[in-house]
Amino acid sequence: MADQYNTITTKTPESLYKVKGSKFFGYAYPVTNEDQIKELLVNIKKQHPKARHWCYAWSLGTEEVRTRANDDGEPSNTAGQPILRQIISRNITNVLVVSVRYFGGVKLGVGGLISAYGESAHLSLEEAKIITKDLCLYLKLRFGYDLMNNAQRIIKQHQLTISQQDLLEDCTLVLEIPKAKFEVVNKAFNDIYGIHILKNI
């Protein structure tokens, strides 16, 4: 459905795949932005300072999905792409999968590398709990305290999440609204005189 997407809930346990002396340590993480990904990659390199390659792929976004694959020195398309294929085959996004290779002294060849990195990513994602989440939009509202009960009634009726609130001078709320409910909720607030919709986010 266009109003939902699949992702993983938490970091997976470390997986290990061995072939011809090489070891491939695999990890999968839920992520929401590239800064988070950069930080995780730095931490993995600190965790495995003597590894030969730190290859990865990620998928980010819900309505517009972006992907990236990185071979980190392995022959072109033998590491990042096999990892990315494992992500795509599960139809998941907002995920980073990393495979860290310790070279075992025996070259695996192009086919062997594609198979090994694909299997490493497969093992990581086999441990992941995949969930379906609602695509959400955000609505920013401002109103006087006298209308708080009216607003709370709509929030409770549609089981909305308040992601930000400022109750100092008047009431300013940012609500997280499942995309499928957005038009109905937007109209409900529009119909109450005195509740101002500042912007759709």
Side-chain angles (χ1 to χ4, degrees):
M1 286 179 63
D3 295 339
Q4 296 181 315
Y5 65 96
N6 301 319
T7 190
I8 67 175
T9 54
T10 55
K11 172 190 168 184
T12 59
E14 178 181 272
S15 67
L16 173 60
Y17 178 67
K18 297 179 185 178
V19 57
K20 294 184 180 177
S22 281
K23 294 179 180 178
F24 296 81
F25 290 92
Y27 307 88
Y29 302 88
V31 290
T32 54
N33 58 67
E34 288 192 52
D35 287 339
Q36 203 179 353
I37 289 169
K38 286 173 189 170
E39 189 177 327
L40 286 167
L41 291 171
V42 167
N43 290 339
I44 287 170
K45 288 186 179 184
K46 285 179 183 173
Q47 192 177 331
H48 292 280
K50 294 182 179 178
R52 180 72 67 90
H53 302 281
W54 302 266
C55 305
Y56 62 89
W58 52 254
S59 175
L60 277 180
T62 49
E63 292 185 278
E64 290 185 17
V65 176
R66 294 179 296 122
T67 61
R68 184 166 300 167
N70 189 302
D71 297 312
D72 192 43
E74 293 282 32
S76 182
N77 296 325
T78 61
Q81 283 298 328
I83 296 170
L84 183 59
R85 279 196 289 273
Q86 291 293 327
I87 294 172
I88 291 169
S89 72
R90 287 166 175 78
N91 190 30
I92 53 178
T93 189
N94 289 356
V95 63
L96 165 70
V97 179
V98 185
S99 183
V100 179
R101 182 188 182 190
Y102 287 83
F103 183 56
V106 178
K107 290 188 175 181
L108 301 181
V110 168
L113 287 171
I114 291 170
S115 173
Y117 279 106
E119 184 60 24
S120 175
H122 170 76
L123 290 173
S124 294
L125 290 169
E126 279 293 287
E127 295 294 318
K129 184 182 178 188
I130 296 173
I131 57 165
T132 300
K133 297 181 78 171
D134 288 322
L135 250 175
C136 288
L137 301 172
Y138 294 85
L139 197 62
K140 189 171 185 179
L141 308 172
R142 180 179 294 154
F143 49 87
Y145 284 100
D146 56 317
L147 293 173
M148 179 58 94
N149 285 342
N150 301 65
Q152 288 288 4
R153 189 181 70 251
I154 296 170
I155 291 166
K156 189 174 179 182
Q157 179 187 346
H158 295 284
Q159 298 176 311
L160 306 179
T161 300
I162 300 172
S163 62
Q164 291 177 41
Q165 64 178 16
D166 179 355
L167 307 176
L168 292 178
E169 293 180 15
D170 49 18
C171 304
T172 303
L173 302 180
V174 176
L175 302 176
E176 186 177 307
I177 303 166
K179 187 180 174 186
K181 293 183 178 181
F182 188 80
E183 290 304 322
V184 172
V185 171
N186 192 46
K187 183 177 186 310
F189 284 116
N190 254 326
D191 287 346
I192 299 174
Y193 180 77
I195 291 187
H196 306 286
I197 296 175
L198 301 184
K199 58 180 174 179
N200 300 346
I201 304 171

